[in-house]
């Protein structure tokens, strides 16, 4: 005899789904113990863990300059910024862990190259002025992308983003201030600043992801209110933000086509080099191999710390059991 299907389970699942849909429609937050569709959970794990990896890998291009910062004050500021990025990585990994993935699994995906991290961190930082350009443009793009994520429908992600955005906004200002100081210097310094802006402008625009018509995840992520704006809309906002700031700095954005089309209400730009973007995503950017190699080496060098912590936990549990 064929067993009859358990209709109560079907109804439960349908009820859970409609409760989830109602929460999303009412701008309520989904919390870790709430029911959620498996694909929503997978998307969040993908985005939050990749975001965490970006913060951790993002420590390298600037960490490269801590020992060579031009003054004690600049060194202290840069160290604080890089430490903030480690903190952001940890908040994000913690948020992802609430969805059922472990920190070990995420780390493994990063070091074996199966998880992505932001394309932007695969470019070199050959000069001190790059610290200014990164702060201004890269952290500026991060803010444009991340402020809407403070309203992400998943509670732990949205709450982590609130603190992260506050710190990013300090990072952006320190970068702008480095550039402003250098632009008030000699002609050679101004040329260095322009060169750094030329190198970082286009990669910053790529941080927002592929164009909307080539972004497979956007529609569903926006329906779930994880993403609040499309990749192209956020890119437009960012351009609107940096154009007046470039004027104040006295640098030129390296796009001769850039102008505001008042009728369309949009910035017109030259075509972004998406081939370069896809090469980087495929692991063939200028610094991909170095970034991953450094991360792998740091993980291996830290093995003794993990072993010691595990051994301490084991001994502590054994002692507690003895006393009991
Ligand atoms: N780089 O369908 P799409 C920081 C991938 S940290 C690499 O549009 P989605 C900072 C995308 O993952 C900056 N990969 O995807 C830190 C997807 O691949 P999978 C990091 C990219 O998720 C230290 C595929 O392309 N910020 O600012 O809807 C110092 C198709 O894309 C990139 C975040 O992570 C990219 N640029 O939208 C200073 C923010 N773009 O996973 C600064 C949170 C796309 O399907 N993340 N891809 O294999 C997001 O907002 C979204 O995930 C994205 C992409 C807008 C990035």
């Amino acid at each position: 005899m064929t067993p009859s299907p358990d209709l109560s389970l079907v109804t439960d699942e349908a009820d859970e789904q409609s409760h989830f849909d109602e929460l999303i429609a009412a701008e309520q937050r989904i919390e870790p113990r709430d029911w959620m569709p498996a694909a929503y959970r997978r998307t969040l794990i993908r985005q939050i863990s990749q975001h965490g990896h970006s913060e951790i890998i993002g420590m390298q291009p600037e960490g490269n300059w801590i020992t060579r910062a031009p003054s004690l004050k600049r060194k202290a500021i840069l160290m604080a910024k890089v430490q903030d990025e480690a903190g952001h990585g940890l908040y994000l990994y913690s948020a992802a862990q609430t969805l059922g993935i472990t920190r070990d699994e995420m780390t493994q995906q990063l070091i074996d190259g199966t998880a992505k991290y932001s394309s932007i961190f695969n470019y070199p930082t050959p000069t001190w002025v790059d610290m200014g350009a990164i702060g201004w443009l890269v952290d500026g793009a991060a803010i444009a992308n991340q402020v809407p994520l403070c309203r992400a429908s998943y509670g732990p992600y949205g709450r982590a983003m609130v603190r992260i955005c506050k710190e990013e906004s300090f990072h952006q200002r320190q970068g702008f201030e480095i550039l402003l100081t250098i632009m008030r210097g000699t002609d050679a310094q101004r040329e260095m600043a322009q060169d750094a802006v030329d190198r970082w402008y286009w990669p910053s625009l790529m941080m927002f992801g592929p164009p909307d018509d080539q972004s497979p995840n956007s529609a569903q992520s926006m329906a779930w209110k994880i993403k609040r704006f499309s990749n192209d809309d956020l890119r437009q906002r960012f351009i609107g933000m940096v154009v007046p700031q470039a004027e104040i700095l006295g640098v030129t954005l390296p796009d001769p086509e850039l102008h505001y089309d008042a009728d369309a209400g949009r910035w017109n730009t030259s075509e972004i080099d998406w081939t370069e973007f896809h090469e980087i995503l495929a692991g063939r950017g200028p610094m991909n191999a170095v970034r991953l190699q450094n991360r792998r080496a740091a993980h291996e060098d830290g093995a003794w710390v993990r072993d010691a912590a595990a051994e301490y936990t084991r001994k502590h549990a054994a002692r507690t059991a003895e006393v009991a």
Side-chain angles (χ1 to χ4, degrees), residues 46-47 50-51 54-55 58 62 81 85 116-119 121 134 138-139 142 145-146 149 157 168 206-210 214-218 221 227 231 277 281:
R46 176 184 66 79
Q47 177 165 328
Q50 292 183 6
H51 193 166
S54 305
E55 299 282 356
E62 293 170 293
K81 177 179 195 272
E85 279 146 16
K116 292 190 172 74
Y117 59 87
S118 182
S119 51
F121 302 117
I134 289 183
V138 175
D139 289 281
N145 166 259
Q146 293 174 13
L149 290 174
Y157 191 28
E168 295 291 13
M206 293 176 198
M207 284 175 73
F208 295 91
Q214 290 160 45
S215 163
N217 301 299
S218 277
S221 288
K227 285 168 84 163
N231 298 356
F277 175 76
L281 261 56

Side-chain angles (χ1 to χ4, degrees), residues 7-311:
L7 288 178
S8 68
L9 281 180
V10 176
T11 314
D12 282 354
E13 171 109 6
D15 285 351
E16 301 276 28
Q17 177 74 53
S18 69
H19 180 59
F20 172 87
D21 293 342
E22 277 163 24
L23 288 175
I24 297 282
E27 297 284 331
Q28 299 286 312
R29 286 238 148 112
I30 307 299
E31 296 297 339
R33 289 199 182 87
D34 291 342
W35 182 92
M36 61 187 86
Y40 177 81
R41 186 184 296 275
R42 271 198 308 276
T43 290
L44 283 167
I45 290 178
R46 176 184 66 79
Q47 177 165 328
I48 302 172
S49 65
Q50 292 183 6
H51 193 166
H53 297 329
S54 305
E55 299 282 356
I56 296 300
I57 295 283
M59 295 165 73
Q60 291 187 36
E62 293 170 293
N64 177 33
W65 276 94
I66 290 175
T67 54
R68 293 175 288 161
S71 69
L72 183 62
K73 183 179 144 204
R74 292 290 184 203
K75 188 192 284 253
I77 295 171
L78 189 60
M79 268 171 66
K81 177 179 195 272
V82 173
Q83 279 179 343
D84 283 352
E85 279 146 16
H88 298 175
L90 298 184
Y91 312 150
L92 289 161
Y93 285 149
S94 300
Q97 280 173 273
T98 65
L99 292 154
I101 187 167
T102 66
R103 178 92 172 267
D104 281 349
E105 285 169 315
M106 288 185 274
T107 304
Q108 198 52 46
Q109 289 172 355
L110 174 62
I111 61 180
D112 68 18
T114 51
K116 292 190 172 74
Y117 59 87
S118 182
S119 51
I120 193 75
F121 302 117
N122 293 303
Y123 293 88
T125 45
T127 74
W128 166 254
V129 191
D130 287 62
M131 301 305 99
I134 289 183
W136 177 44
L137 293 170
V138 175
D139 289 281
I143 293 169
N145 166 259
Q146 293 174 13
V147 166
L149 290 174
C150 297
R151 293 190 293 119
S153 55
Y154 188 57
Y157 191 28
R159 288 189 288 273
M161 291 315 305
V162 171
R163 178 150 175 196
I164 291 176
C165 284
K166 284 187 183 152
E167 291 174 352
E168 295 291 13
S169 124
F170 153 73
H171 296 172
Q172 202 250 358
R173 283 171 202 196
Q174 69 85 38
F176 186 85
E177 198 264 336
I178 290 176
L179 282 181
L180 198 59
T181 305
I182 287 169
M183 289 302 288
R184 288 176 180 156
T186 62
D187 284 348
Q189 285 173 314
R190 273 189 287 279
E191 267 169 41
M192 280 174 83
Q194 184 61 54
D195 172 64
V197 170
D198 290 349
R199 285 182 289 107
W200 288 97
Y201 176 71
W202 289 106
S204 305
L205 294 186
M206 293 176 198
M207 284 175 73
F208 295 91
D212 292 352
D213 58 3
Q214 290 160 45
S215 163
N217 301 299
S218 277
Q220 182 59 76
S221 288
M222 285 172 69
W224 278 327
K225 298 184 180 166
I226 298 170
K227 285 168 84 163
R228 295 291 182 147
F229 297 96
S230 76
N231 298 356
D232 286 333
D233 283 350
L234 289 175
R235 204 173 351 257
Q236 283 280 321
R237 281 183 175 213
F238 172 65
I239 295 172
M241 190 176 102
V242 293
V243 164
Q245 293 173 354
E247 269 173 37
I248 295 168
L249 286 171
V251 294
T252 307
L253 295 174
D255 180 0
E257 301 291 318
L258 182 63
H259 67 274
Y260 190 68
D261 177 344
D263 293 336
R266 292 183 79 77
W267 291 92
N268 280 342
T269 69
S270 309
E271 185 61 23
I272 294 176
D273 185 353
W274 293 113
T275 309
E276 177 179 313
F277 175 76
H278 289 297
E279 279 294 291
I280 287 187
L281 261 56
R284 293 188 288 268
M287 297 299 281
N288 289 62
V290 174
R291 300 291 183 238
L292 269 191
Q293 177 47 36
N294 286 343
R295 187 66 199 88
R296 273 190 210 112
H299 187 65
E300 282 158 21
D301 289 349
W304 69 271
V305 179
R306 293 189 296 280
D307 288 349
E311 186 55 15

